[in-house]
Amino acid sequence: MIRYIRWCAYFCALLLLALLVNIARVQVWESAAYGANPANKRSAIERYAEPRGDILVDGRPVTGSRDSGQLLRYERTYADGPLYAPVTGFSSQTYGTSFVERAEDAVLSGTDPGLSAFPLWYDLSRGRPAGGNAATTVRAAVQRAAYAGLGGKRGAVAALEPATGKILALVSSPSYDPAVLSGTGAKPRGAWAALNADPARPMLNRALRETYPPGSTFKIVTAAAALDAGVVTDVDAPTRTPDPYPLPGTSTLLPNAATGCEDASMAEAVQWSCNTVMAKIGVQVGLRRMTEAARRFGFNTEGLRVPSWVSRSNFDTDMSLDQLALSSIGQFNTTATPLQMAMVAAAVANGGELASPYLVERTTQDDGSPVRRGDRRSLGRAMNPATALRMQELMVKVVEQGTGRNAAIPGAVVGGKTGTAQHGVGNAGTPYAWFISWARTEGAALPAVAVAVVVEDASADRGDISGNGAAAPIARAVMKAALAAR
Protein backbone atom coordinates (compact mmCIF):
# COMPACT_ATOMS: atom_id res chain seq x y z
CA MET A 1 0.00 0.00 0.00
CA ILE A 2 2.79 2.41 0.94
CA ARG A 3 4.46 1.68 -2.41
CA TYR A 4 1.30 2.75 -4.32
CA ILE A 5 1.05 5.95 -2.30
CA ARG A 6 4.71 6.65 -3.10
CA TRP A 7 4.09 6.17 -6.86
CA CYS A 8 1.04 8.38 -6.66
CA ALA A 9 3.10 11.08 -4.98
CA TYR A 10 5.75 10.80 -7.70
CA PHE A 11 3.09 11.14 -10.38
CA CYS A 12 1.57 14.20 -8.68
CA ALA A 13 5.01 15.78 -8.40
CA LEU A 14 5.55 15.13 -12.11
CA LEU A 15 2.25 16.76 -12.93
CA LEU A 16 3.21 19.74 -10.77
CA LEU A 17 6.56 20.00 -12.52
CA ALA A 18 4.85 19.86 -15.93
CA LEU A 19 2.49 22.59 -14.79
CA LEU A 20 5.39 24.78 -13.69
CA VAL A 21 7.20 24.18 -16.99
CA ASN A 22 4.08 25.13 -18.94
CA ILE A 23 3.61 28.27 -16.85
CA ALA A 24 7.22 29.23 -17.55
CA ARG A 25 6.71 28.59 -21.26
CA VAL A 26 3.62 30.80 -21.38
CA GLN A 27 5.01 33.54 -19.13
CA VAL A 28 8.54 33.73 -20.57
CA TRP A 29 8.95 32.20 -24.02
CA GLU A 30 5.51 32.83 -25.48
CA SER A 31 4.40 35.92 -23.55
CA ALA A 32 5.28 38.26 -26.44
CA ALA A 33 3.27 36.20 -28.91
CA TYR A 34 0.26 36.10 -26.62
CA GLY A 35 0.59 39.82 -25.95
CA ALA A 36 0.64 40.58 -29.68
CA ASN A 37 -2.29 38.34 -30.47
CA PRO A 38 -5.17 40.51 -31.78
CA ALA A 39 -7.61 38.50 -29.68
CA ASN A 40 -5.82 39.54 -26.47
CA LYS A 41 -7.43 42.78 -25.30
CA ARG A 42 -5.62 42.97 -21.96
CA SER A 43 -2.83 45.24 -23.21
CA ALA A 44 -5.31 47.59 -24.89
CA ILE A 45 -7.49 47.69 -21.78
CA GLU A 46 -4.44 48.45 -19.61
CA ARG A 47 -3.20 51.10 -22.08
CA TYR A 48 -6.44 53.09 -21.92
CA ALA A 49 -7.31 52.38 -18.29
CA GLU A 50 -5.70 55.66 -17.15
CA PRO A 51 -5.64 59.18 -18.63
CA ARG A 52 -2.86 59.80 -21.14
CA GLY A 53 -0.25 62.49 -20.43
CA ASP A 54 -0.51 65.81 -22.23
CA ILE A 55 1.29 67.63 -25.03
CA LEU A 56 2.03 71.20 -23.98
CA VAL A 57 2.31 74.47 -25.92
CA ASP A 58 3.57 77.47 -23.95
CA GLY A 59 3.17 75.32 -20.84
CA ARG A 60 -0.53 74.68 -21.44
CA PRO A 61 -2.03 71.36 -22.53
CA VAL A 62 -3.45 71.17 -26.04
CA THR A 63 -4.56 67.59 -25.40
CA GLY A 64 -6.65 65.86 -22.75
CA SER A 65 -8.44 62.62 -21.87
CA ARG A 66 -12.16 61.83 -21.61
CA ASP A 67 -13.72 59.00 -19.63
CA SER A 68 -15.80 57.22 -22.25
CA GLY A 69 -17.25 54.66 -19.85
CA GLN A 70 -16.34 51.94 -22.34
CA LEU A 71 -14.04 48.94 -22.04
CA LEU A 72 -11.21 51.10 -23.42
CA ARG A 73 -11.91 53.73 -20.87
CA TYR A 74 -10.04 56.96 -21.66
CA GLU A 75 -10.22 58.57 -25.11
CA ARG A 76 -7.94 61.35 -26.33
CA THR A 77 -9.30 64.90 -26.65
CA TYR A 78 -7.75 67.90 -28.39
CA ALA A 79 -8.01 71.65 -27.82
CA ASP A 80 -7.81 73.50 -31.16
CA GLY A 81 -7.30 70.17 -32.89
CA PRO A 82 -6.90 71.44 -36.49
CA LEU A 83 -4.47 74.16 -35.37
CA TYR A 84 -2.08 71.75 -33.66
CA ALA A 85 -2.69 68.54 -35.66
CA PRO A 86 0.65 68.82 -37.56
CA VAL A 87 2.38 68.97 -34.17
CA THR A 88 0.43 66.53 -32.01
CA GLY A 89 -0.75 64.05 -34.63
CA PHE A 90 -3.49 61.73 -33.40
CA SER A 91 -3.83 59.10 -30.67
CA SER A 92 -6.54 56.68 -31.71
CA GLN A 93 -7.81 53.55 -30.02
CA THR A 94 -8.44 52.21 -33.54
CA TYR A 95 -5.57 53.54 -35.68
CA GLY A 96 -2.68 54.04 -33.26
CA THR A 97 -0.62 57.21 -33.05
CA SER A 98 1.27 59.71 -35.21
CA PHE A 99 3.77 62.59 -34.89
CA VAL A 100 4.47 63.68 -31.28
CA GLU A 101 1.78 61.31 -30.02
CA ARG A 102 3.81 58.49 -31.57
CA ALA A 103 7.34 59.78 -30.96
CA GLU A 104 6.69 60.38 -27.24
CA ASP A 105 4.17 57.56 -26.77
CA ALA A 106 6.16 55.83 -24.02
CA VAL A 107 6.17 58.97 -21.87
CA LEU A 108 2.57 59.94 -22.60
CA SER A 109 1.23 56.43 -21.96
CA GLY A 110 3.24 55.97 -18.74
CA THR A 111 5.44 53.10 -19.94
CA ASP A 112 8.75 54.96 -20.17
CA PRO A 113 11.23 53.68 -17.51
CA GLY A 114 12.33 57.26 -16.87
CA LEU A 115 8.96 58.08 -15.32
CA SER A 116 9.81 56.17 -12.12
CA ALA A 117 12.84 55.81 -9.90
CA PHE A 118 11.81 52.15 -9.40
CA PRO A 119 10.63 50.85 -12.79
CA LEU A 120 11.15 47.23 -11.70
CA TRP A 121 8.45 47.66 -9.05
CA TYR A 122 5.88 48.48 -11.74
CA ASP A 123 6.99 45.45 -13.73
CA LEU A 124 6.47 43.18 -10.73
CA SER A 125 3.20 44.77 -9.67
CA ARG A 126 1.94 45.00 -13.28
CA GLY A 127 1.15 48.64 -12.66
CA ARG A 128 2.53 51.76 -14.26
CA PRO A 129 3.10 55.38 -13.29
CA ALA A 130 0.81 58.15 -14.49
CA GLY A 131 1.45 59.31 -18.03
CA GLY A 132 4.04 62.06 -18.37
CA ASN A 133 3.90 65.25 -20.44
CA ALA A 134 5.72 66.41 -23.57
CA ALA A 135 6.40 70.16 -23.67
CA THR A 136 6.89 71.40 -27.23
CA THR A 137 8.98 74.29 -28.53
CA VAL A 138 5.96 75.69 -30.39
CA ARG A 139 4.82 79.22 -29.53
CA ALA A 140 1.04 79.55 -29.60
CA ALA A 141 1.02 83.07 -31.09
CA VAL A 142 3.37 82.07 -33.90
CA GLN A 143 1.37 78.92 -34.67
CA ARG A 144 -1.87 80.90 -34.79
CA ALA A 145 -0.37 83.54 -37.08
CA ALA A 146 0.78 80.86 -39.52
CA TYR A 147 -2.56 79.03 -39.45
CA ALA A 148 -4.57 82.23 -39.93
CA GLY A 149 -2.23 83.38 -42.69
CA LEU A 150 -2.81 80.27 -44.77
CA GLY A 151 -6.54 80.66 -44.19
CA GLY A 152 -7.38 77.16 -45.38
CA LYS A 153 -5.36 77.38 -48.60
CA ARG A 154 -3.30 74.32 -49.42
CA GLY A 155 0.20 74.89 -48.16
CA ALA A 156 2.46 74.84 -45.15
CA VAL A 157 4.53 77.00 -42.81
CA ALA A 158 7.61 76.08 -40.81
CA ALA A 159 9.24 78.54 -38.41
CA LEU A 160 12.51 78.00 -36.52
CA GLU A 161 14.67 79.78 -33.97
CA PRO A 162 17.91 79.95 -36.00
CA ALA A 163 20.40 79.74 -33.12
CA THR A 164 18.84 76.70 -31.45
CA GLY A 165 16.75 74.87 -34.04
CA LYS A 166 13.58 75.11 -31.91
CA ILE A 167 10.49 74.75 -34.09
CA LEU A 168 8.27 77.73 -33.27
CA ALA A 169 5.45 76.87 -35.67
CA LEU A 170 4.51 73.92 -37.82
CA VAL A 171 1.32 74.35 -39.84
CA SER A 172 -0.18 72.29 -42.64
CA SER A 173 -3.34 73.34 -44.45
CA PRO A 174 -6.03 72.17 -44.88
CA SER A 175 -6.00 70.43 -41.53
CA TYR A 176 -8.30 68.12 -39.57
CA ASP A 177 -9.43 67.48 -36.00
CA PRO A 178 -7.57 64.46 -34.51
CA ALA A 179 -10.37 64.01 -31.97
CA VAL A 180 -12.62 62.40 -34.61
CA LEU A 181 -10.25 59.41 -34.68
CA SER A 182 -9.84 58.96 -30.92
CA GLY A 183 -12.34 56.26 -30.04
CA THR A 184 -13.63 52.98 -31.44
CA GLY A 185 -16.67 52.04 -33.48
CA ALA A 186 -18.33 53.34 -36.60
CA LYS A 187 -17.63 57.06 -36.13
CA PRO A 188 -13.81 56.86 -36.09
CA ARG A 189 -13.87 54.37 -38.97
CA GLY A 190 -16.11 56.66 -41.01
CA ALA A 191 -13.95 59.70 -40.21
CA TRP A 192 -10.80 57.78 -41.18
CA ALA A 193 -12.29 56.76 -44.52
CA ALA A 194 -13.51 60.28 -45.26
CA LEU A 195 -10.18 61.90 -44.38
CA ASN A 196 -8.22 59.46 -46.52
CA ALA A 197 -10.60 59.89 -49.45
CA ASP A 198 -10.48 63.70 -49.32
CA PRO A 199 -8.56 64.96 -52.39
CA ALA A 200 -7.18 67.85 -50.31
CA ARG A 201 -5.33 65.27 -48.15
CA PRO A 202 -5.91 67.01 -44.78
CA MET A 203 -3.98 64.32 -42.88
CA LEU A 204 -0.82 64.95 -44.91
CA ASN A 205 1.69 66.94 -42.87
CA ARG A 206 2.87 69.19 -45.69
CA ALA A 207 5.45 70.93 -43.49
CA LEU A 208 7.37 67.70 -42.77
CA ARG A 209 6.28 65.05 -45.26
CA GLU A 210 5.55 66.81 -48.58
CA THR A 211 8.34 67.86 -50.93
CA TYR A 212 7.97 70.60 -53.52
CA PRO A 213 10.19 72.15 -56.17
CA PRO A 214 11.61 75.08 -54.18
CA GLY A 215 11.94 77.35 -57.19
CA SER A 216 13.89 80.55 -56.75
CA THR A 217 14.23 80.13 -52.98
CA PHE A 218 16.94 77.57 -53.81
CA LYS A 219 19.00 80.38 -55.34
CA ILE A 220 20.16 81.14 -51.80
CA VAL A 221 21.91 77.75 -51.74
CA THR A 222 23.42 78.38 -55.19
CA ALA A 223 24.65 81.86 -54.25
CA ALA A 224 26.21 80.57 -51.01
CA ALA A 225 27.92 77.74 -52.92
CA ALA A 226 29.36 80.23 -55.43
CA LEU A 227 30.78 82.46 -52.69
CA ASP A 228 32.24 79.54 -50.73
CA ALA A 229 33.82 78.08 -53.88
CA GLY A 230 35.30 81.42 -54.97
CA VAL A 231 33.38 81.30 -58.26
CA VAL A 232 31.93 84.70 -57.33
CA THR A 233 34.25 87.03 -55.44
CA ASP A 234 32.40 90.29 -56.10
CA VAL A 235 28.63 90.04 -55.80
CA ASP A 236 28.21 93.37 -57.60
CA ALA A 237 30.33 92.45 -60.64
CA PRO A 238 28.55 91.82 -63.98
CA THR A 239 28.26 88.13 -64.81
CA ARG A 240 28.21 88.38 -68.65
CA THR A 241 24.99 86.39 -68.76
CA PRO A 242 22.73 86.67 -71.82
CA ASP A 243 18.96 86.95 -71.56
CA PRO A 244 17.65 84.38 -72.39
CA TYR A 245 20.36 81.92 -71.39
CA PRO A 246 21.07 78.90 -73.62
CA LEU A 247 21.10 75.78 -71.45
CA PRO A 248 24.49 74.07 -71.93
CA GLY A 249 24.53 71.38 -74.60
CA THR A 250 20.99 72.14 -75.79
CA SER A 251 19.10 74.56 -78.01
CA THR A 252 16.71 75.40 -75.14
CA LEU A 253 16.64 79.02 -74.02
CA LEU A 254 16.00 79.75 -70.33
CA PRO A 255 13.98 82.97 -69.93
CA ASN A 256 13.45 85.34 -67.01
CA ALA A 257 10.21 86.45 -65.44
CA ALA A 258 12.02 89.60 -64.29
CA THR A 259 13.41 92.37 -66.51
CA GLY A 260 16.92 93.81 -66.51
CA CYS A 261 18.65 90.46 -65.97
CA GLU A 262 21.03 90.61 -68.92
CA ASP A 263 24.62 90.80 -67.62
CA ALA A 264 23.23 91.31 -64.08
CA SER A 265 25.43 90.80 -61.03
CA MET A 266 24.75 88.04 -58.54
CA ALA A 267 23.43 90.61 -56.07
CA GLU A 268 20.95 91.85 -58.67
CA ALA A 269 20.07 88.27 -59.60
CA VAL A 270 19.11 87.48 -56.01
CA GLN A 271 17.33 90.81 -55.57
CA TRP A 272 15.21 90.45 -58.73
CA SER A 273 15.29 86.63 -58.98
CA CYS A 274 17.06 86.29 -62.34
CA ASN A 275 16.91 82.69 -63.50
CA THR A 276 19.55 83.13 -66.19
CA VAL A 277 22.29 84.46 -63.93
CA MET A 278 21.79 81.91 -61.15
CA ALA A 279 21.56 79.01 -63.60
CA LYS A 280 24.86 80.06 -65.18
CA ILE A 281 26.47 80.45 -61.75
CA GLY A 282 25.30 76.96 -60.76
CA VAL A 283 26.96 75.52 -63.86
CA GLN A 284 30.18 77.42 -63.04
CA VAL A 285 30.17 76.06 -59.48
CA GLY A 286 29.90 72.56 -60.94
CA LEU A 287 28.03 69.43 -59.97
CA ARG A 288 30.37 68.23 -57.23
CA ARG A 289 30.51 71.53 -55.36
CA MET A 290 26.79 72.20 -55.81
CA THR A 291 26.01 68.74 -54.47
CA GLU A 292 28.28 69.27 -51.48
CA ALA A 293 26.73 72.66 -50.75
CA ALA A 294 23.20 71.24 -50.93
CA ARG A 295 24.20 68.44 -48.56
CA ARG A 296 25.60 70.92 -46.03
CA PHE A 297 22.22 72.66 -45.98
CA GLY A 298 20.46 69.32 -45.33
CA PHE A 299 19.53 68.05 -48.79
CA ASN A 300 19.98 64.34 -49.55
CA THR A 301 20.11 63.61 -45.81
CA GLU A 302 18.24 60.57 -44.56
CA GLY A 303 16.91 60.07 -41.06
CA LEU A 304 16.15 63.63 -39.93
CA ARG A 305 13.74 63.43 -36.98
CA VAL A 306 12.18 66.29 -35.01
CA PRO A 307 11.33 63.77 -33.32
CA SER A 308 8.84 62.67 -36.03
CA TRP A 309 10.55 61.62 -39.26
CA VAL A 310 10.97 64.17 -42.04
CA SER A 311 10.89 63.42 -45.76
CA ARG A 312 14.22 63.59 -47.58
CA SER A 313 14.82 66.74 -49.63
CA ASN A 314 16.53 66.05 -52.93
CA PHE A 315 19.29 67.53 -55.09
CA ASP A 316 20.37 65.12 -57.81
CA THR A 317 23.98 63.94 -57.69
CA ASP A 318 24.22 62.79 -61.32
CA MET A 319 23.15 65.38 -63.91
CA SER A 320 24.07 66.86 -67.25
CA LEU A 321 25.03 70.55 -67.33
CA ASP A 322 21.61 71.68 -68.58
CA GLN A 323 19.96 69.73 -65.75
CA LEU A 324 22.41 71.26 -63.26
CA ALA A 325 21.47 74.72 -64.52
CA LEU A 326 17.78 74.03 -63.87
CA SER A 327 18.48 72.37 -60.53
CA SER A 328 20.45 75.44 -59.42
CA ILE A 329 17.29 77.53 -59.66
CA GLY A 330 15.17 74.99 -57.78
CA GLN A 331 13.70 73.16 -60.76
CA PHE A 332 14.33 69.82 -62.56
CA ASN A 333 14.39 67.14 -59.80
CA THR A 334 15.22 69.47 -56.91
CA THR A 335 12.60 69.10 -54.17
CA ALA A 336 12.38 70.27 -50.57
CA THR A 337 10.11 70.17 -47.57
CA PRO A 338 9.04 73.51 -46.07
CA LEU A 339 11.06 72.58 -42.98
CA GLN A 340 14.16 72.14 -45.17
CA MET A 341 13.76 75.60 -46.71
CA ALA A 342 13.27 77.10 -43.25
CA MET A 343 16.59 75.45 -42.37
CA VAL A 344 18.20 77.21 -45.37
CA ALA A 345 17.00 80.59 -44.12
CA ALA A 346 18.03 79.72 -40.55
CA ALA A 347 21.57 78.80 -41.63
CA VAL A 348 22.00 82.20 -43.29
CA ALA A 349 20.58 83.96 -40.22
CA ASN A 350 22.79 81.95 -37.83
CA GLY A 351 26.11 82.93 -39.39
CA GLY A 352 26.34 79.79 -41.51
CA GLU A 353 25.85 77.18 -38.77
CA LEU A 354 22.87 74.86 -39.19
CA ALA A 355 21.15 73.84 -35.96
CA SER A 356 19.19 70.59 -36.00
CA PRO A 357 15.46 71.37 -35.75
CA TYR A 358 13.53 69.86 -32.86
CA LEU A 359 9.97 70.02 -31.60
CA VAL A 360 9.99 68.64 -28.03
CA GLU A 361 11.63 70.92 -25.46
CA ARG A 362 11.39 68.41 -22.60
CA THR A 363 9.43 65.49 -21.27
CA THR A 364 8.35 65.37 -17.63
CA GLN A 365 6.59 63.19 -15.12
CA ASP A 366 3.00 63.97 -14.25
CA ASP A 367 4.17 66.22 -11.39
CA GLY A 368 6.56 68.17 -13.63
CA SER A 369 9.77 66.39 -12.64
CA PRO A 370 12.11 66.21 -15.64
CA VAL A 371 12.58 63.02 -17.66
CA ARG A 372 14.53 64.24 -20.72
CA ARG A 373 15.39 67.52 -22.42
CA GLY A 374 15.60 68.26 -26.13
CA ASP A 375 19.11 69.68 -26.39
CA ARG A 376 20.46 71.88 -29.14
CA ARG A 377 22.50 69.95 -31.70
CA SER A 378 24.49 71.28 -34.64
CA LEU A 379 24.28 69.70 -38.10
CA GLY A 380 27.52 71.43 -39.08
CA ARG A 381 28.40 74.52 -41.06
CA ALA A 382 26.37 75.15 -44.20
CA MET A 383 28.62 78.02 -45.35
CA ASN A 384 31.53 80.15 -44.19
CA PRO A 385 30.70 82.96 -41.73
CA ALA A 386 31.79 85.60 -44.26
CA THR A 387 29.51 84.05 -46.85
CA ALA A 388 26.61 84.06 -44.38
CA LEU A 389 27.11 87.78 -43.72
CA ARG A 390 27.11 88.52 -47.43
CA MET A 391 24.00 86.40 -47.93
CA GLN A 392 22.26 88.26 -45.11
CA GLU A 393 22.95 91.51 -46.95
CA LEU A 394 21.57 90.12 -50.20
CA MET A 395 18.42 88.80 -48.53
CA VAL A 396 17.80 92.12 -46.75
CA LYS A 397 18.05 93.86 -50.12
CA VAL A 398 15.37 91.51 -51.50
CA VAL A 399 12.93 92.76 -48.85
CA GLU A 400 13.94 96.41 -48.83
CA GLN A 401 14.36 97.00 -52.58
CA GLY A 402 13.55 93.78 -54.47
CA THR A 403 10.88 91.16 -54.99
CA GLY A 404 10.03 90.57 -51.32
CA ARG A 405 8.79 93.96 -50.13
CA ASN A 406 5.57 92.52 -48.71
CA ALA A 407 7.64 90.92 -45.94
CA ALA A 408 9.00 94.20 -44.52
CA ILE A 409 8.35 94.83 -40.81
CA PRO A 410 8.83 98.31 -39.30
CA GLY A 411 11.45 98.27 -36.55
CA ALA A 412 12.93 94.97 -37.68
CA VAL A 413 15.64 93.80 -40.05
CA VAL A 414 14.16 91.26 -42.43
CA GLY A 415 15.89 89.15 -45.06
CA GLY A 416 13.97 87.07 -47.56
CA LYS A 417 13.76 85.35 -50.91
CA THR A 418 10.74 84.81 -53.12
CA GLY A 419 10.08 81.76 -55.22
CA THR A 420 7.53 80.72 -57.82
CA ALA A 421 8.00 77.04 -58.63
CA GLN A 422 6.63 75.62 -61.87
CA HIS A 423 5.31 72.05 -61.85
CA GLY A 424 3.12 69.66 -63.76
CA VAL A 425 3.38 68.34 -67.30
CA GLY A 426 4.81 71.13 -69.43
CA ASN A 427 4.69 73.35 -66.31
CA ALA A 428 0.92 73.55 -66.84
CA GLY A 429 0.10 73.31 -63.11
CA THR A 430 -0.64 76.36 -61.01
CA PRO A 431 2.80 77.46 -59.72
CA TYR A 432 3.65 77.04 -56.07
CA ALA A 433 4.35 80.30 -54.26
CA TRP A 434 7.33 80.26 -51.87
CA PHE A 435 8.88 82.69 -49.45
CA ILE A 436 11.76 82.04 -47.06
CA SER A 437 12.93 84.67 -44.61
CA TRP A 438 14.42 85.57 -41.26
CA ALA A 439 13.94 88.55 -38.94
CA ARG A 440 15.56 90.26 -35.99
CA THR A 441 14.62 93.31 -34.01
CA GLU A 442 16.77 96.32 -34.85
CA GLY A 443 19.72 96.35 -32.45
CA ALA A 444 19.36 92.67 -31.56
CA ALA A 445 22.44 90.51 -31.92
CA LEU A 446 20.72 87.44 -33.38
CA PRO A 447 17.69 86.85 -35.59
CA ALA A 448 14.70 85.54 -33.64
CA VAL A 449 13.02 83.50 -36.36
CA ALA A 450 13.48 81.90 -39.76
CA VAL A 451 10.41 81.03 -41.80
CA ALA A 452 9.45 79.08 -44.91
CA VAL A 453 6.00 79.41 -46.48
CA VAL A 454 4.64 77.51 -49.47
CA VAL A 455 1.18 78.05 -50.97
CA GLU A 456 -0.03 75.43 -53.44
CA ASP A 457 -3.71 76.27 -53.59
CA ALA A 458 -4.96 75.18 -57.01
CA SER A 459 -8.04 77.40 -56.70
CA ALA A 460 -5.99 80.59 -56.51
CA ASP A 461 -5.87 83.11 -59.34
CA ARG A 462 -2.78 82.16 -61.33
CA GLY A 463 -1.86 85.83 -61.71
CA ASP A 464 -1.69 86.21 -57.93
CA ILE A 465 0.62 83.23 -57.41
CA SER A 466 3.99 84.68 -56.52
CA GLY A 467 6.25 84.51 -53.53
CA ASN A 468 5.75 88.20 -52.80
CA GLY A 469 2.00 88.22 -53.38
CA ALA A 470 0.83 84.94 -51.84
CA ALA A 471 3.53 83.80 -49.42
CA ALA A 472 5.41 86.87 -48.16
CA PRO A 473 2.45 88.38 -46.24
CA ILE A 474 2.05 85.08 -44.38
CA ALA A 475 5.76 85.04 -43.53
CA ARG A 476 5.54 88.63 -42.32
CA ALA A 477 2.68 87.79 -39.94
CA VAL A 478 4.58 84.81 -38.59
CA MET A 479 7.78 86.83 -38.08
CA LYS A 480 5.88 89.64 -36.34
CA ALA A 481 4.33 87.14 -33.95
CA ALA A 482 7.73 85.57 -33.24
CA LEU A 483 9.37 88.94 -32.58
CA ALA A 484 6.54 89.96 -30.25
CA ALA A 485 6.74 86.64 -28.37
CA ARG A 486 10.38 87.05 -27.38
Side-chain angles (χ1 to χ4, degrees):
M1 185 71 178
I2 295 176
R3 183 179 60 177
Y4 294 125
I5 294 174
R6 184 183 301 114
W7 281 109
C8 183
Y10 289 156
F11 182 69
C12 290
L14 182 62
L15 291 177
L16 180 60
L17 179 62
L19 181 61
L20 293 174
V21 169
N22 187 60
I23 290 173
R25 178 183 64 84
V26 170
Q27 294 287 341
V28 179
W29 283 283
E30 297 188 14
S31 61
Y34 283 120
N37 191 312
N40 183 5
K41 292 184 169 59
R42 289 176 62 95
S43 59
I45 293 171
E46 290 174 2
R47 177 181 176 86
Y48 299 107
E50 300 293 337
R52 188 171 172 84
D54 285 320
I55 298 172
L56 311 179
V57 173
D58 284 343
R60 298 178 180 176
V62 296
T63 59
S65 295
R66 180 182 73 86
D67 189 346
S68 67
Q70 305 297 315
L71 186 63
L72 304 184
R73 183 173 176 183
Y74 284 96
E75 294 179 2
R76 196 59 150 162
T77 62
Y78 295 88
D80 294 316
L83 173 64
Y84 292 110
V87 176
T88 63
F90 60 79
S91 177
S92 169
Q93 293 176 347
T94 306
Y95 298 105
T97 55
S98 67
F99 299 112
V100 171
E101 292 277 28
R102 176 186 289 269
E104 299 297 345
D105 181 66
V107 169
L108 297 170
S109 64
T111 60
D112 191 299
L115 292 172
S116 172
F118 305 102
L120 183 60
W121 166 252
Y122 288 101
D123 290 340
L124 295 174
S125 65
R126 295 189 176 273
R128 64 177 184 181
N133 299 326
T136 69
T137 58
V138 171
R139 304 304 301 269
V142 184
Q143 183 82 359
R144 290 184 182 280
Y147 186 78
L150 282 170
K153 299 184 183 71
R154 296 189 194 183
V157 178
L160 303 172
E161 188 175 76
T164 63
K166 292 179 181 179
I167 296 176
L168 304 179
L170 201 66
V171 170
S172 178
S173 178
S175 189
Y176 73 104
D177 187 355
V180 299
L181 304 175
S182 292
T184 58
K187 286 187 177 179
R189 289 196 298 270
W192 178 266
L195 288 169
N196 282 282
D198 191 332
R201 299 188 297 170
M203 292 181 69
L204 172 65
N205 191 326
R206 289 169 163 86
L208 299 181
R209 302 282 170 85
E210 185 69 301
T211 58
Y212 305 86
S216 293
T217 58
F218 190 81
K219 292 171 183 175
I220 297 302
V221 177
T222 301
L227 289 170
D228 273 352
V231 170
V232 174
T233 56
D234 182 358
V235 297
D236 296 313
T239 57
R240 303 183 185 278
T241 306
D243 184 7
Y245 169 65
L247 293 177
T250 75
S251 59
T252 302
L253 297 177
L254 179 67
N256 286 298
T259 58
C261 289
E262 185 172 1
D263 199 28
S265 66
M266 191 174 79
E268 291 169 328
V270 172
Q271 181 180 350
W272 300 110
S273 205
C274 297
N275 290 335
T276 53
V277 173
M278 298 309 300
K280 179 183 177 182
I281 288 174
V283 171
Q284 291 174 331
V285 173
L287 178 60
R288 180 182 61 81
R289 291 187 295 196
M290 279 297 300
T291 301
E292 290 175 353
R295 179 189 55 76
R296 291 195 298 270
F297 276 96
F299 286 81
N300 299 339
T301 301
E302 302 280 1
L304 179 64
R305 305 187 74 87
V306 295
S308 305
W309 65 269
V310 181
S311 292
R312 175 183 180 271
S313 297
N314 180 74
F315 186 84
D316 277 3
T317 58
D318 185 10
M319 293 182 280
S320 59
L321 289 179
D322 59 311
Q323 294 168 342
L324 175 60
L326 293 174
S327 296
S328 299
I329 58 172
Q331 296 290 346
F332 188 53
N333 289 335
T334 304
T335 57
T337 62
L339 179 67
Q340 171 62 68
M341 295 314 297
M343 291 165 63
V344 169
V348 173
N350 196 38
E353 185 185 0
L354 182 60
S356 180
Y358 66 99
L359 188 55
V360 177
E361 180 78 63
R362 64 187 178 278
T363 53
T364 68
Q365 298 177 18
D366 183 52
D367 62 3
S369 302
V371 177
R372 283 184 297 275
R373 292 192 62 86
D375 295 327
R376 181 193 183 282
R377 184 169 61 89
S378 176
L379 294 178
R381 186 159 288 282
M383 72 198 91
N384 294 325
T387 296
L389 289 174
R390 185 55 54 90
M391 293 307 304
Q392 288 176 18
E393 295 170 0
L394 297 184
M395 292 182 74
V396 168
K397 202 169 183 181
V398 168
V399 174
E400 292 184 348
Q401 304 174 28
T403 59
R405 298 187 185 193
N406 281 342
I409 300 173
V413 178
V414 179
K417 182 70 190 79
T418 54
T420 306
Q422 305 292 334
H423 73 103
V425 178
N427 290 334
T430 303
Y432 298 138
W434 277 94
F435 195 77
I436 64 172
S437 58
W438 51 266
R440 64 175 171 83
T441 306
E442 287 183 351
L446 296 173
V449 62
V451 180
V453 177
V454 63
V455 179
E456 55 162 296
D457 190 16
S459 66
D461 181 353
R462 187 183 180 97
D464 290 338
I465 289 289
S466 69
N468 188 51
I474 301 172
R476 179 184 62 210
V478 173
M479 291 185 291
K480 286 181 69 174
L483 293 173
R486 287 182 68 84

